Amino acid sequence: MSVALGRLMTERDERLDLWCTGESAHEVSSGMHPAWLMTRFRLDLSLEGLSHMRMIAQLIDAETGDEIGTIHRNSAFEVNQQKQRLQVNVMRGAKGETDKSLPELTGTLSMFIFRPDSSLSYWVRSLSGMRYLFDDGNDMFILCSRR
């Protein structure tokens, strides 16, 4: 037990420098038929300077496999770690010029990370010395690795 407590106390003082990538897919209804919402993201997370996140989300027709819409999002933000929570303050956000924005895309995704002046908080859990799990409190989890 003292080893676990010592590890927890040490992790609180460590400076996070993480690289995260991920993909997700879930079924949504688009008009009259089902579709898949597929997202891919890359997150460069550092407690010093600005951190960056890039995401692409595609709405795919479940029957034909055709792309119905797509959006690209980028954001830059400052990060502050407070024990087991990560405080994120979004500085800049941008969207792609070729976006085919649909309500199914923007309404289903948690887009606060891409809105300037948003202030967000996430739970951080160490899974090992090199792996971390972030929880946004909804249904999204992000797995990251220390550089």
Side-chain angles (χ1 to χ4, degrees):
M1 185 169 199
S2 63
V3 171
L5 183 59
R7 183 174 157 205
L8 181 63
M9 296 302 286
T10 303
E11 286 173 1
R12 287 182 183 170
D13 296 334
E14 288 179 356
R15 305 298 288 172
L16 291 182
D17 185 17
L18 304 174
W19 178 249
C20 319
T21 59
E23 291 182 286
S24 70
H26 64 276
E27 194 171 8
V28 297
S29 67
S30 175
M32 301 295 280
H33 46 86
W36 287 98
L37 177 62
M38 301 176 66
T39 60
R40 290 188 307 271
F41 69 88
R42 290 187 177 161
L43 173 62
D44 178 7
L45 185 63
S46 175
L47 293 181
E48 295 181 11
L50 289 180
S51 295
H52 300 274
M53 184 170 189
R54 291 175 176 79
M55 182 192 72
I56 182 171
Q58 297 174 298
L59 193 63
I60 308 292
D61 186 300
E63 294 172 5
T64 65
D66 294 336
E67 182 180 289
I68 300 170
T70 184
I71 60 173
H72 298 78
R73 294 291 185 267
N74 298 309
S75 69
F77 48 92
E78 293 177 336
V79 179
N80 184 10
Q81 187 175 5
Q82 300 164 349
K83 297 185 181 180
Q84 296 299 319
R85 295 205 61 89
L86 206 62
Q87 185 67 37
V88 173
N89 297 308
V90 181
M91 308 303 287
R92 295 187 303 269
K95 63 181 184 175
E97 295 177 13
T98 60
D99 284 0
K100 290 191 254 175
S101 191
L102 298 170
E104 293 91 338
L105 287 169
T106 55
T108 313
L109 298 170
S110 175
M111 297 303 242
F112 298 108
I113 192 71
F114 303 107
R115 292 185 187 151
D117 299 323
S118 292
S119 182
L120 312 163
S121 181
Y122 298 95
W123 284 103
V124 179
R125 180 177 175 202
S126 174
L127 300 177
S128 71
M130 297 295 288
R131 307 285 282 180
Y132 292 83
L133 183 71
F134 295 86
D135 180 0
D136 74 346
N138 295 311
D139 59 353
M140 188 171 113
F141 298 91
I142 298 175
L143 185 62
C144 299
S145 298
R146 183 182 298 279
R147 274 188 270 240

